Amino acid sequence: MTPSDPFALDDNPPPSSPSEPQPIGDPSWLAGLNPEQRQAVEITDGPVLVLSGAGTGKTRVLITRLAYILGKRLAQPWQILAVTFTNRAAREMRERVGGLVGPMAESLWLGTFHALGVRILRKHGELVGLKSNFTILDSDDQLRLLKQVMEADGIDHKKWPAQVVLSVIQRWKDKGLTPDRVTPSMAGDLAAGRAVDLYRAYQERLITLNATDFGDLLLHCLTLFQDHAEVLQEYQDRFRYILVDEYQDTNVAQYLWLRLLCQKHRNLCCVGDDDQSIYSWRGAEVGNILRFEKDFTDAKVVRLERNYRSTPTILAAASALIDHNEDRLGKTLKPAGESDSEDAPVTVKGVWDGPEEARWVIEEIEALQTKGESLSSMAILVRAGFQMLEFEERFITTGVPYRVVGGPRFYERLEIRDAIAYLRCITTPTDDLAFERIVNKPKRSIGDTTVQKIHVYARSAGLSLMEAALRLTETDELRAQTRKALTTLIGDMSRWRSLRDGLSPADLAAQVLDESGYTEMWMKDTSPEAPGRLENLKEFVGGLEEWDTIGAFLEHVSLVMENDSKAGDEAVTIMTLHGAKGLEFDTVFLPGWEEEIFPHRRALDDGGGAAVEEERRLAYVGLTRARKKVSISYAANRRVYNQWQASLPSRFISELPNEHIENISDNGLMGSFGEGQSEGFSDGWGGGSSWPKARGRKAPVIEGDSWQVEARESSGGYAVGMRIFHQKFGYGIIQSVDNTRLEIAFDKAGDKKVIDSFVEPA
DNA sequence: CGTATATATCTTTTT
DNA sequence: GATATATACG
């Protein structure tokens, strides 16, 4: 945050000792607030709905409100429930409240819905059939479990992909529907009309495994509260004040959860912005905002419309864009500050293709850096994860430091999940999913047939897989070889288990990975990614050092799937638009504004305008992340799958107000689609064309009124033996040519297969 | 049971 | 192009 930012709490800590609550009305708390913000803080009695636009200081309101309640001694910290949407937001909030009220902040009930749900279920889970050490399945485990259930039920998994069924089940859970509450009409003919049965069977399997999925963390809470009034009452009594952040992204189950908990004291404060609702695909219901006013007729509504973040130009652009949505409560953002000389227009840049776009963005970044801008004040926000790759490559070649937030998630990597499965087997011998995952990793001659045998036996005898396996090794059911392998594995497991108390989690993990042969497996692996995997395993063991017990670590893993990115580094941030919600930067780059990418194809396919409206809200979120400058860009050609495809500028670009937009597209790329504009790069090695990288690639030809890219099969003049340069791999010699695919022996990077468009003659 | 080869599907977005 | 699953063969 810049020093001039009115919300820069961190830069202006309250003068007095942070451990002592300050007197009420202390200017350093309230004086900085505008009248609406102040209202949102001071109306502590009864339900309050705060509709707060982007950049209107909603986080500050929440934090001040918490501090205010504590400072006024309206409640003890453990009597306050504060719910956020992400772990990151929870962490930040705790830190900032701690800055105001001191260590008291530690005892707040503050976290995500899911984390708080776990906390409750760990304590009262027995009442809904869960032992307190239940495990939380990640999406991969969920899918495998459902597949098993479907197989047992004889459902054709070709016709009804488990993924589809799973997402339907999850929707039901998001709505707070247990299997007995799903009506046949909701299930339709999904999975041959057996969807509800599958749901029920899936839930039963989860309970026998003593496991939950993400949805259950809330769903079980609801059943718990409904069936056990005394438990509900305990929490209703406790929570005198409830605060909810990102309220527009709550789903029905979460809403019901909140409504049950706040019934006694009715001091519920929800903060949200319908224009920033971007999680409907996860079951979020903007309708919860309307429902709030209906269910709490005495609710006070406070609107925060003064934007302290962005320049008037950016606000005008964002407002004009979101105005194209039909379905909104209607809310205008007013610039709070006076417009200054730095009020630059929003730029729109059209370029030839993806790599060109990345090149341009990073040139701009370097230019800003030369002017003295900090890299950490800039961000590239993309629609989907795969768009990050092109930028990463360019960052690597230019050497500009960058930081990927929420990219491929660490704990979701194959090798990490394997390592975790080992730990789970040790802590919880009944964890069948974990056991199944690692029985044959590394190869122990325990193949599918053996696993099937174990399964059958476990089911009939009502045992866990590990127990069943142990019993089977005492028989002659299995081949001598596999019997021996199983015996060793199970013996190892119990040996490691007995070591658990004597060793730190990190040491234990290191020993397990070593003795199981898991590390060795990857060391012997010659595939290019093996070294990286070993590296990750090392990092994994290193990360374990911070944990005292394996249990605590596993809990962390299942709830916090994000990387703890070391912030503060001087680096450009690159992340998805979803990940960027709630953040702000001086300069924001918004690449890939093309039809089918943004709005995403799936949103366009999805019939009605609702999906596109959500995409538009996403665009709105992107624009409003910027304090000073927004750069939108799009490419005329994009490589999708393995083919080049022409693309059209996003409809969102044409929805931006002309007077606030500066078009800086390269020649012929903007506003002239369908006209004969392709001179300069129509063929081959277009010498002085402005498309140096386009040579030898595909030539655009006009067909009808849309761009078509001719699939040229020539290799653009590359031949075996030629010396070339590649941005990522450096110099090398061409070994073979197959249409556009080249095999190249690089001086440093070794043999690689690359696409001709990524190399140039050396 | 393991390995090699073919093939289908893929790309939203996250707790 | 990459990854996961299916099939054939040793």
Side-chain angles (χ1 to χ4, degrees):
Chain A
M1 291 194 178
T2 57
S4 63
D5 189 309
F7 306 120
L9 286 186
D10 301 337
D11 295 334
N12 302 306
S16 68
S17 150
S19 60
E20 274 301 306
Q22 303 189 2
I24 312 310
D26 184 312
S28 69
W29 283 21
L30 296 173
L33 301 180
N34 66 36
E36 300 85 52
Q37 291 175 328
R38 211 175 156 129
Q39 259 194 311
V41 168
E42 287 179 331
I43 304 175
T44 49
D45 253 15
V48 181
L49 178 62
V50 181
L51 295 174
S52 85
T56 54
K58 130 202 111 112
T59 309
R60 177 164 201 199
V61 163
L62 276 171
I63 287 160
T64 316
R65 188 179 165 95
L66 278 170
Y68 181 82
I69 291 168
L70 287 170
K72 228 179 162 184
R73 309 224 186 264
L74 296 172
Q76 295 297 325
W78 57 88
Q79 293 171 325
I80 302 175
L81 179 67
V83 194
T84 61
F85 203 63
T86 64
N87 293 294
R88 191 186 61 210
R91 203 185 322 126
E92 188 192 331
M93 192 174 293
R94 200 184 284 283
E95 272 165 25
R96 288 175 65 175
V97 174
L100 289 178
V101 303
M104 231 191 239
E106 295 304 312
S107 4
L108 289 167
W109 279 67
L110 190 158
T112 61
F113 279 103
H114 301 273
L116 295 164
V118 171
R119 189 164 170 186
I120 291 170
L121 288 178
R122 289 268 183 241
K123 201 162 173 210
H124 305 282
E126 340 72 69
L127 296 174
V128 290
L130 288 169
K131 283 181 268 172
S132 78
N133 64 345
F134 65 85
T135 51
I136 303 160
L137 267 39
D138 61 29
S139 47
D140 209 65
D141 283 337
Q142 290 171 41
L143 196 61
R144 286 196 301 156
L145 188 64
L146 183 65
K147 270 185 190 156
Q148 286 176 16
V149 170
M150 287 176 73
E151 219 155 309
D153 223 29
I155 304 286
D156 185 357
H157 59 283
K158 282 253 168 62
K159 198 169 172 199
W160 302 106
Q163 188 60 255
V164 174
V165 179
L166 185 63
S167 63
V168 169
I169 291 178
Q170 252 149 5
R171 278 262 178 65
W172 286 334
K173 291 191 174 185
D174 289 339
K175 290 192 196 306
L177 297 169
T178 46
D180 49 301
R181 298 183 116 145
V182 179
T183 65
S185 68
M186 299 171 85
D189 60 350
L190 184 81
R194 313 254 306 129
V196 185
D197 302 311
L198 290 175
Y199 181 17
R200 185 171 290 113
Y202 172 74
Q203 288 305 91
E204 277 163 14
R205 281 291 290 148
L206 280 170
I207 290 289
T208 35
L209 287 168
N210 193 31
T212 68
D213 64 15
F214 269 99
D216 284 341
L217 297 179
L218 287 150
L219 199 60
H220 283 321
C221 276
L222 292 180
T223 351
L224 173 70
F225 291 156
Q226 268 151 22
D227 297 350
H228 300 273
E230 75 285 359
V231 179
L232 175 61
Q233 183 145 10
E234 177 190 334
Y235 287 101
Q236 283 179 341
D237 286 343
R238 172 192 288 269
F239 297 129
R240 303 169 82 110
Y241 293 93
I242 300 180
L243 283 78
V244 186
D245 192 11
E246 307 284 10
Y247 180 65
Q248 76 283 352
D249 286 325
T250 53
N251 59 39
V252 172
Q254 290 163 338
Y255 177 75
L256 296 173
W257 193 85
L258 288 170
R259 206 177 58 177
L260 282 171
L261 285 176
C262 78
Q263 249 165 34
K264 168 127 194 239
H265 296 286
R266 290 176 46 86
N267 297 325
L268 176 63
C269 174
C270 295
V271 182
D273 177 4
D274 58 311
D275 288 334
Q276 292 188 66
S277 156
I278 53 176
Y279 283 98
S280 69
W281 50 273
R282 220 178 77 186
E285 306 241 350
V286 205
N288 282 349
I289 292 185
L290 305 171
R291 201 159 166 183
F292 186 93
E293 292 189 75
K294 221 187 247 169
D295 284 0
F296 301 93
T297 42
D298 54 333
K300 307 262 189 345
V301 179
V302 180
R303 285 167 178 268
L304 303 182
E305 296 184 318
R306 290 195 221 185
N307 177 296
Y308 292 89
R309 181 186 296 151
S310 312
T311 63
T313 302
I314 293 170
L315 286 182
S319 300
L321 179 77
I322 200 67
D323 218 36
H324 284 82
N325 272 4
E326 309 252 315
D327 190 17
R328 56 191 295 251
L329 295 176
K331 184 169 24 58
T332 38
L333 281 185
K334 300 170 204 129
E338 64 298 335
S339 101
D340 57 19
S341 54
E342 282 200 78
D343 196 351
V346 172
T347 52
V348 174
K349 169 89 171 175
V351 297
W352 172 244
D353 63 7
E356 176 67 23
E357 182 181 46
R359 201 171 64 83
W360 178 76
V361 166
I362 285 154
E363 271 170 16
E364 291 290 299
I365 287 172
E366 287 182 298
L368 285 167
Q369 190 186 20
T370 321
K371 282 202 294 186
E373 299 277 330
S374 158
L375 290 180
S376 54
S377 71
M378 304 178 220
I380 302 174
L381 307 181
V382 297
R383 170 68 244 264
F386 68 88
Q387 293 173 264
M388 294 184 182
L389 206 69
E390 270 166 343
F391 291 95
E392 278 196 75
E393 282 181 354
R394 194 65 205 163
F395 274 123
I396 290 166
T397 55
T398 53
V400 175
Y402 71 100
R403 162 178 59 228
V404 175
V405 177
R409 272 165 286 182
F410 187 69
Y411 294 125
E412 266 175 21
R413 285 170 214 206
L414 178 103
E415 65 277 16
I416 302 304
R417 292 173 43 80
D418 286 340
I420 290 170
Y422 269 103
L423 296 183
R424 272 166 56 181
C425 277
I426 292 165
T427 52
T428 320
T430 52
D431 193 329
D432 286 356
L433 291 161
F435 179 76
E436 214 180 327
R437 187 179 178 94
I438 50 86
V439 241
N440 208 25
K441 278 182 197 183
K443 299 270 189 302
R444 297 186 176 91
S445 307
I446 304 168
D448 286 343
T449 44
T450 310
V451 174
Q452 282 311 316
K453 277 183 199 160
I454 300 175
H455 249 295
V456 170
Y457 181 57
R459 239 166 211 273
S460 65
L463 298 171
S464 71
L465 288 183
M466 188 142 14
E467 234 174 315
L470 182 63
R471 300 265 187 97
L472 278 176
T473 57
E474 290 156 1
T475 71
D476 288 319
E477 295 287 330
L478 305 169
R479 287 167 34 187
Q481 191 192 9
T482 51
R483 194 191 318 157
K484 200 171 154 218
L486 262 182
T487 317
T488 337
L489 177 66
I490 295 172
D492 282 344
M493 284 289 173
S494 51
R495 188 164 47 82
W496 293 324
R497 200 167 299 131
S498 63
L499 258 73
R500 194 166 39 148
D501 295 329
L503 290 172
S504 74
D507 290 339
L508 180 65
Q511 191 168 340
V512 169
L513 291 176
D514 202 30
E515 292 181 4
S516 63
Y518 192 76
T519 327
E520 198 188 350
M521 175 181 93
W522 287 116
M523 288 199 289
K524 281 189 185 147
D525 195 303
T526 52
S527 60
E529 62 265 23
R533 300 209 192 265
L534 284 166
E535 201 55 40
N536 288 336
L537 286 171
K538 255 193 215 156
E539 202 182 322
F540 174 73
V541 173
L544 261 169
E545 301 277 3
E546 296 172 29
W547 299 87
D548 296 331
T549 70
I550 296 183
F553 167 75
L554 290 176
E555 181 107 337
H556 167 81
V557 169
S558 35
L559 286 175
V560 185
M561 293 299 281
E562 64 196 21
N563 288 339
D564 279 347
S565 54
K566 11 181 185 347
D569 287 359
E570 180 60 10
V572 181
T573 301
I574 173 163
M575 54 166 43
T576 64
L577 285 160
H578 284 88
K581 193 166 69 160
L583 301 180
E584 57 181 67
F585 303 90
D586 282 343
T587 308
V588 168
F589 291 91
L590 301 171
W593 278 42
E594 294 140 44
E595 290 289 296
E596 310 240 299
I597 289 184
F598 191 33
H600 193 275
R601 159 104 70 107
R602 291 274 287 259
L604 294 170
D605 291 348
D606 218 42
V612 174
E613 294 213 344
E614 177 147 322
E615 297 284 302
R616 194 175 282 111
R617 289 194 292 271
L618 203 48
Y620 173 79
V621 167
L623 288 167
T624 52
R625 295 312 93 196
R627 284 191 283 254
K628 295 197 224 158
K629 179 79 177 73
V630 173
S631 281
I632 295 166
S633 53
Y634 65 91
N637 296 288
R638 206 47 93 169
R639 198 176 42 169
V640 49
Y641 302 126
N642 208 14
Q643 284 186 321
W644 285 91
Q645 256 186 19
S647 47
L648 293 170
S650 168
R651 64 190 66 193
F652 299 150
I653 289 177
S654 58
E655 292 171 2
L656 296 169
N658 277 329
E659 63 271 30
H660 295 111
I661 297 300
E662 187 186 359
N663 175 21
I664 53 169
S665 299
D666 291 312
N667 68 17
L669 277 171
M670 180 76 174
S672 56
F673 292 95
E675 300 285 318
Q677 76 284 56
S678 60
E679 71 280 349
F681 45 88
S682 52
D683 61 0
W685 305 74
S689 113
S690 58
W691 304 106
K693 286 164 55 55
R695 68 182 137 170
R697 212 183 287 156
K698 288 84 202 164
V701 295
I702 309 305
E703 198 174 90
D705 55 0
S706 68
W707 285 63
Q708 289 283 319
V709 174
E710 183 192 336
R712 253 196 23 193
E713 293 299 342
S714 93
S715 58
Y718 291 111
V720 175
M722 210 167 155
R723 188 160 176 80
I724 53 83
F725 176 74
H726 185 278
Q727 287 178 347
K728 194 169 172 188
F729 301 119
Y731 290 93
I733 308 276
I734 297 179
Q735 300 299 299
S736 73
V737 179
D738 170 15
N739 288 336
T740 60
R741 290 164 57 172
L742 309 175
E743 222 172 314
I744 294 168
F746 287 100
D747 299 353
K748 297 222 170 72
D751 279 9
K752 303 271 181 207
K753 283 184 198 145
V754 300
I755 300 292
D756 63 356
S757 46
F758 285 107
V759 304
E760 48 197 337

